[in-house]
């Protein structure tokens, strides 16, 4: 954001009144606001990005499902070859173990894709709305609610 909040303590016994800190934080939170036109543009860009993300997600799920199906077909075929005596037991166990490992990796990928859902869009809009309303919420709240808001907003500060 470009603004910096610097708190300097001259000695361990010097205290800063909460009201002074609150005023500084309120000023910083006020700077998070942007006009409605910019907000709407960012939301539209987020929605557009989400549409691209959704298509890429669907393509990835299709690829992983195709890979799982291909591996299942291989396992079925190699099992039939083993039953028919075209391959020996050791070869069957070696390749089937390898393909099962690949299937497990694909299943893990599939679970990750299934966990990634519409949360991307919802969280993005919620974060924008929080930025728009952070100053108002900070001014309105007291005590623990204020602390939670600041902890969230400042969670990645250095």
């Amino acid at each position: 954001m470009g603004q910096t909040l610097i708190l300097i303590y001259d000695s361990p016994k010097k205290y800063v009144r909460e009201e002074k800190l609150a005023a500084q934080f309120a000023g910083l939170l006020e700077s998070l606001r942007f006009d409605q036109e910019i907000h709407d543009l960012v939301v539209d860009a987020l929605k557009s990005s989400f549409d691209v993300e959704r298509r890429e997600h669907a393509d990835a799920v299709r690829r992983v499902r195709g890979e799982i199906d291909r591996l299942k077909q291989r396992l079925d075929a190699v099992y039939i070859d083993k039953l028919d005596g075209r391959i020996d037991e050791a070869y069957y166990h070696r390749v089937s173990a390898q393909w099962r490992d690949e299937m497990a990796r694909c299943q893990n990928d599939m679970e990750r894709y299934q966990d990634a859902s519409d949360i991307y869009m919802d969280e993005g809009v919620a974060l924008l709305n929080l930025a728009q309303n952070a100053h108002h919420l900070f001014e309105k709240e007291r005590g623990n609610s204020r602390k939670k808001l600041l902890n969230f907003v400042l969670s990645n500060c250095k």
Side-chain angles (χ1 to χ4, degrees), residues 64 67-68 70-71 99-112:
V64 171
E67 181 68 11
I68 290 170
R70 185 179 67 81
L71 290 166
W99 291 337
R100 282 190 179 90
D101 288 346
E102 286 182 47
M103 280 180 64
R105 180 191 49 80
C106 288
Q107 291 292 353
N108 288 337
D109 290 348
M110 186 66 77
E111 288 173 17
R112 278 198 328 269

PDB file of all heavy atoms in Angstrom, residues 64 67-68 70-71 99-112:
ATOM      1  N   VAL A  64      -6.878 -36.078 -15.634  1.00  0.00           N
ATOM      2  CA  VAL A  64      -6.581 -37.030 -14.556  1.00  0.00           C
ATOM      3  C   VAL A  64      -7.527 -38.230 -14.634  1.00  0.00           C
ATOM      4  O   VAL A  64      -7.094 -39.378 -14.475  1.00  0.00           O
ATOM      5  CB  VAL A  64      -6.642 -36.341 -13.173  1.00  0.00           C
ATOM      6  CG1 VAL A  64      -6.553 -37.354 -12.051  1.00  0.00           C
ATOM      7  CG2 VAL A  64      -5.528 -35.322 -13.036  1.00  0.00           C
ATOM      8  N   GLU A  67      -6.331 -40.468 -17.351  1.00  0.00           N
ATOM      9  CA  GLU A  67      -5.150 -41.212 -16.923  1.00  0.00           C
ATOM     10  C   GLU A  67      -5.540 -42.365 -15.999  1.00  0.00           C
ATOM     11  O   GLU A  67      -5.020 -43.480 -16.128  1.00  0.00           O
ATOM     12  CB  GLU A  67      -4.161 -40.270 -16.223  1.00  0.00           C
ATOM     13  CG  GLU A  67      -2.889 -40.914 -15.752  1.00  0.00           C
ATOM     14  CD  GLU A  67      -1.970 -41.369 -16.876  1.00  0.00           C
ATOM     15  OE1 GLU A  67      -2.205 -41.017 -18.048  1.00  0.00           O
ATOM     16  OE2 GLU A  67      -1.004 -42.101 -16.580  1.00  0.00           O
ATOM     17  N   ILE A  68      -6.470 -42.126 -15.092  1.00  0.00           N
ATOM     18  CA  ILE A  68      -6.935 -43.196 -14.198  1.00  0.00           C
ATOM     19  C   ILE A  68      -7.588 -44.310 -15.003  1.00  0.00           C
ATOM     20  O   ILE A  68      -7.310 -45.502 -14.782  1.00  0.00           O
ATOM     21  CB  ILE A  68      -7.902 -42.640 -13.128  1.00  0.00           C
ATOM     22  CG1 ILE A  68      -7.134 -41.766 -12.124  1.00  0.00           C
ATOM     23  CG2 ILE A  68      -8.646 -43.765 -12.411  1.00  0.00           C
ATOM     24  CD1 ILE A  68      -8.025 -40.988 -11.173  1.00  0.00           C
ATOM     25  N   ARG A  70      -7.031 -45.072 -18.153  1.00  0.00           N
ATOM     26  CA  ARG A  70      -5.987 -45.746 -18.924  1.00  0.00           C
ATOM     27  C   ARG A  70      -5.240 -46.744 -18.052  1.00  0.00           C
ATOM     28  O   ARG A  70      -4.977 -47.885 -18.455  1.00  0.00           O
ATOM     29  CB  ARG A  70      -5.031 -44.697 -19.496  1.00  0.00           C
ATOM     30  CG  ARG A  70      -3.953 -45.257 -20.416  1.00  0.00           C
ATOM     31  CD  ARG A  70      -3.071 -44.142 -20.964  1.00  0.00           C
ATOM     32  NE  ARG A  70      -2.264 -43.510 -19.942  1.00  0.00           N
ATOM     33  CZ  ARG A  70      -1.122 -43.991 -19.470  1.00  0.00           C
ATOM     34  NH1 ARG A  70      -0.643 -45.130 -19.930  1.00  0.00           N
ATOM     35  NH2 ARG A  70      -0.432 -43.346 -18.543  1.00  0.00           N
ATOM     36  N   LEU A  71      -4.930 -46.343 -16.821  1.00  0.00           N
ATOM     37  CA  LEU A  71      -4.213 -47.237 -15.911  1.00  0.00           C
ATOM     38  C   LEU A  71      -5.078 -48.428 -15.505  1.00  0.00           C
ATOM     39  O   LEU A  71      -4.576 -49.559 -15.394  1.00  0.00           O
ATOM     40  CB  LEU A  71      -3.736 -46.463 -14.677  1.00  0.00           C
ATOM     41  CG  LEU A  71      -2.610 -45.458 -14.935  1.00  0.00           C
ATOM     42  CD1 LEU A  71      -2.447 -44.506 -13.760  1.00  0.00           C
ATOM     43  CD2 LEU A  71      -1.301 -46.176 -15.234  1.00  0.00           C
ATOM     44  N   TRP A  99       1.785 -49.293 -11.721  1.00  0.00           N
ATOM     45  CA  TRP A  99       0.566 -48.640 -12.200  1.00  0.00           C
ATOM     46  C   TRP A  99      -0.378 -48.289 -11.050  1.00  0.00           C
ATOM     47  O   TRP A  99      -1.065 -47.278 -11.095  1.00  0.00           O
ATOM     48  CB  TRP A  99      -0.121 -49.512 -13.236  1.00  0.00           C
ATOM     49  CG  TRP A  99       0.677 -49.599 -14.523  1.00  0.00           C
ATOM     50  CD1 TRP A  99       1.599 -48.715 -14.985  1.00  0.00           C
ATOM     51  CD2 TRP A  99       0.630 -50.650 -15.465  1.00  0.00           C
ATOM     52  NE1 TRP A  99       2.123 -49.146 -16.163  1.00  0.00           N
ATOM     53  CE2 TRP A  99       1.550 -50.341 -16.499  1.00  0.00           C
ATOM     54  CE3 TRP A  99      -0.088 -51.843 -15.561  1.00  0.00           C
ATOM     55  CZ2 TRP A  99       1.744 -51.155 -17.599  1.00  0.00           C
ATOM     56  CZ3 TRP A  99       0.104 -52.654 -16.669  1.00  0.00           C
ATOM     57  CH2 TRP A  99       1.021 -52.310 -17.673  1.00  0.00           C
ATOM     58  N   ARG A 100      -0.377 -49.102 -10.011  1.00  0.00           N
ATOM     59  CA  ARG A 100      -1.195 -48.756  -8.837  1.00  0.00           C
ATOM     60  C   ARG A 100      -0.646 -47.504  -8.138  1.00  0.00           C
ATOM     61  O   ARG A 100      -1.409 -46.675  -7.658  1.00  0.00           O
ATOM     62  CB  ARG A 100      -1.273 -49.933  -7.872  1.00  0.00           C
ATOM     63  CG  ARG A 100      -2.250 -50.988  -8.324  1.00  0.00           C
ATOM     64  CD  ARG A 100      -2.504 -52.042  -7.235  1.00  0.00           C
ATOM     65  NE  ARG A 100      -3.464 -53.013  -7.695  1.00  0.00           N
ATOM     66  CZ  ARG A 100      -3.160 -54.139  -8.345  1.00  0.00           C
ATOM     67  NH1 ARG A 100      -1.900 -54.446  -8.588  1.00  0.00           N
ATOM     68  NH2 ARG A 100      -4.101 -54.961  -8.736  1.00  0.00           N
ATOM     69  N   ASP A 101       0.681 -47.395  -8.079  1.00  0.00           N
ATOM     70  CA  ASP A 101       1.291 -46.179  -7.520  1.00  0.00           C
ATOM     71  C   ASP A 101       0.902 -44.952  -8.342  1.00  0.00           C
ATOM     72  O   ASP A 101       0.581 -43.894  -7.793  1.00  0.00           O
ATOM     73  CB  ASP A 101       2.820 -46.304  -7.467  1.00  0.00           C
ATOM     74  CG  ASP A 101       3.304 -47.263  -6.393  1.00  0.00           C
ATOM     75  OD1 ASP A 101       2.491 -47.633  -5.502  1.00  0.00           O
ATOM     76  OD2 ASP A 101       4.496 -47.656  -6.445  1.00  0.00           O
ATOM     77  N   GLU A 102       0.938 -45.098  -9.666  1.00  0.00           N
ATOM     78  CA  GLU A 102       0.533 -43.995 -10.536  1.00  0.00           C
ATOM     79  C   GLU A 102      -0.943 -43.651 -10.331  1.00  0.00           C
ATOM     80  O   GLU A 102      -1.316 -42.470 -10.315  1.00  0.00           O
ATOM     81  CB  GLU A 102       0.779 -44.343 -12.008  1.00  0.00           C
ATOM     82  CG  GLU A 102       2.235 -44.297 -12.409  1.00  0.00           C
ATOM     83  CD  GLU A 102       2.427 -44.591 -13.893  1.00  0.00           C
ATOM     84  OE1 GLU A 102       1.695 -44.011 -14.718  1.00  0.00           O
ATOM     85  OE2 GLU A 102       3.315 -45.403 -14.210  1.00  0.00           O
ATOM     86  N   MET A 103      -1.766 -44.675 -10.157  1.00  0.00           N
ATOM     87  CA  MET A 103      -3.194 -44.429  -9.901  1.00  0.00           C
ATOM     88  C   MET A 103      -3.395 -43.707  -8.576  1.00  0.00           C
ATOM     89  O   MET A 103      -4.233 -42.796  -8.484  1.00  0.00           O
ATOM     90  CB  MET A 103      -3.983 -45.748  -9.909  1.00  0.00           C
ATOM     91  CG  MET A 103      -4.293 -46.245 -11.298  1.00  0.00           C
ATOM     92  SD  MET A 103      -5.229 -47.785 -11.293  1.00  0.00           S
ATOM     93  CE  MET A 103      -6.739 -47.289 -10.517  1.00  0.00           C
ATOM     94  N   ALA A 104      -2.634 -44.077  -7.566  1.00  0.00           N
ATOM     95  CA  ALA A 104      -2.743 -43.412  -6.267  1.00  0.00           C
ATOM     96  C   ALA A 104      -2.351 -41.941  -6.396  1.00  0.00           C
ATOM     97  O   ALA A 104      -3.007 -41.063  -5.828  1.00  0.00           O
ATOM     98  CB  ALA A 104      -1.860 -44.114  -5.229  1.00  0.00           C
ATOM     99  N   ARG A 105      -1.293 -41.664  -7.160  1.00  0.00           N
ATOM    100  CA  ARG A 105      -0.888 -40.283  -7.397  1.00  0.00           C
ATOM    101  C   ARG A 105      -2.006 -39.516  -8.110  1.00  0.00           C
ATOM    102  O   ARG A 105      -2.344 -38.394  -7.742  1.00  0.00           O
ATOM    103  CB  ARG A 105       0.396 -40.239  -8.233  1.00  0.00           C
ATOM    104  CG  ARG A 105       0.897 -38.827  -8.524  1.00  0.00           C
ATOM    105  CD  ARG A 105       2.006 -38.810  -9.561  1.00  0.00           C
ATOM    106  NE  ARG A 105       1.757 -39.571 -10.768  1.00  0.00           N
ATOM    107  CZ  ARG A 105       1.012 -39.144 -11.789  1.00  0.00           C
ATOM    108  NH1 ARG A 105       0.420 -37.983 -11.741  1.00  0.00           N
ATOM    109  NH2 ARG A 105       0.852 -39.909 -12.858  1.00  0.00           N
ATOM    110  N   CYS A 106      -2.614 -40.145  -9.103  1.00  0.00           N
ATOM    111  CA  CYS A 106      -3.727 -39.519  -9.822  1.00  0.00           C
ATOM    112  C   CYS A 106      -4.926 -39.283  -8.896  1.00  0.00           C
ATOM    113  O   CYS A 106      -5.582 -38.247  -8.974  1.00  0.00           O
ATOM    114  CB  CYS A 106      -4.146 -40.386 -11.009  1.00  0.00           C
ATOM    115  SG  CYS A 106      -2.969 -40.382 -12.372  1.00  0.00           S
ATOM    116  N   GLN A 107      -5.206 -40.242  -8.028  1.00  0.00           N
ATOM    117  CA  GLN A 107      -6.310 -40.076  -7.073  1.00  0.00           C
ATOM    118  C   GLN A 107      -6.043 -38.894  -6.145  1.00  0.00           C
ATOM    119  O   GLN A 107      -6.951 -38.124  -5.835  1.00  0.00           O
ATOM    120  CB  GLN A 107      -6.521 -41.354  -6.251  1.00  0.00           C
ATOM    121  CG  GLN A 107      -7.052 -42.525  -7.031  1.00  0.00           C
ATOM    122  CD  GLN A 107      -8.482 -42.340  -7.517  1.00  0.00           C
ATOM    123  OE1 GLN A 107      -9.162 -41.389  -7.185  1.00  0.00           O
ATOM    124  NE2 GLN A 107      -8.942 -43.265  -8.335  1.00  0.00           N
ATOM    125  N   ASN A 108      -4.787 -38.748  -5.698  1.00  0.00           N
ATOM    126  CA  ASN A 108      -4.425 -37.598  -4.859  1.00  0.00           C
ATOM    127  C   ASN A 108      -4.611 -36.296  -5.618  1.00  0.00           C
ATOM    128  O   ASN A 108      -5.117 -35.313  -5.063  1.00  0.00           O
ATOM    129  CB  ASN A 108      -2.975 -37.713  -4.366  1.00  0.00           C
ATOM    130  CG  ASN A 108      -2.806 -38.784  -3.322  1.00  0.00           C
ATOM    131  OD1 ASN A 108      -3.758 -39.169  -2.645  1.00  0.00           O
ATOM    132  ND2 ASN A 108      -1.594 -39.283  -3.185  1.00  0.00           N
ATOM    133  N   ASP A 109      -4.194 -36.284  -6.890  1.00  0.00           N
ATOM    134  CA  ASP A 109      -4.401 -35.097  -7.721  1.00  0.00           C
ATOM    135  C   ASP A 109      -5.889 -34.785  -7.836  1.00  0.00           C
ATOM    136  O   ASP A 109      -6.302 -33.629  -7.734  1.00  0.00           O
ATOM    137  CB  ASP A 109      -3.811 -35.296  -9.119  1.00  0.00           C
ATOM    138  CG  ASP A 109      -2.294 -35.312  -9.127  1.00  0.00           C
ATOM    139  OD1 ASP A 109      -1.681 -34.943  -8.098  1.00  0.00           O
ATOM    140  OD2 ASP A 109      -1.712 -35.704 -10.167  1.00  0.00           O
ATOM    141  N   MET A 110      -6.694 -35.813  -8.046  1.00  0.00           N
ATOM    142  CA  MET A 110      -8.131 -35.632  -8.192  1.00  0.00           C
ATOM    143  C   MET A 110      -8.737 -35.045  -6.917  1.00  0.00           C
ATOM    144  O   MET A 110      -9.575 -34.136  -6.985  1.00  0.00           O
ATOM    145  CB  MET A 110      -8.796 -36.975  -8.522  1.00  0.00           C
ATOM    146  CG  MET A 110     -10.261 -36.870  -8.834  1.00  0.00           C
ATOM    147  SD  MET A 110     -10.596 -35.957 -10.335  1.00  0.00           S
ATOM    148  CE  MET A 110     -10.172 -37.180 -11.544  1.00  0.00           C
ATOM    149  N   GLU A 111      -8.303 -35.538  -5.767  1.00  0.00           N
ATOM    150  CA  GLU A 111      -8.808 -34.997  -4.503  1.00  0.00           C
ATOM    151  C   GLU A 111      -8.445 -33.525  -4.341  1.00  0.00           C
ATOM    152  O   GLU A 111      -9.261 -32.736  -3.876  1.00  0.00           O
ATOM    153  CB  GLU A 111      -8.261 -35.811  -3.323  1.00  0.00           C
ATOM    154  CG  GLU A 111      -8.877 -37.182  -3.212  1.00  0.00           C
ATOM    155  CD  GLU A 111      -8.226 -38.049  -2.150  1.00  0.00           C
ATOM    156  OE1 GLU A 111      -7.508 -37.500  -1.282  1.00  0.00           O
ATOM    157  OE2 GLU A 111      -8.433 -39.270  -2.184  1.00  0.00           O
ATOM    158  N   ARG A 112      -7.221 -33.170  -4.725  1.00  0.00           N
ATOM    159  CA  ARG A 112      -6.818 -31.764  -4.652  1.00  0.00           C
ATOM    160  C   ARG A 112      -7.684 -30.901  -5.569  1.00  0.00           C
ATOM    161  O   ARG A 112      -8.089 -29.813  -5.201  1.00  0.00           O
ATOM    162  CB  ARG A 112      -5.340 -31.598  -5.027  1.00  0.00           C
ATOM    163  CG  ARG A 112      -4.395 -31.891  -3.897  1.00  0.00           C
ATOM    164  CD  ARG A 112      -2.997 -31.326  -4.115  1.00  0.00           C
ATOM    165  NE  ARG A 112      -2.538 -31.273  -5.491  1.00  0.00           N
ATOM    166  CZ  ARG A 112      -1.857 -32.236  -6.116  1.00  0.00           C
ATOM    167  NH1 ARG A 112      -1.568 -33.341  -5.472  1.00  0.00           N
ATOM    168  NH2 ARG A 112      -1.455 -32.098  -7.361  1.00  0.00           N
TER     169      ARG A 112
END
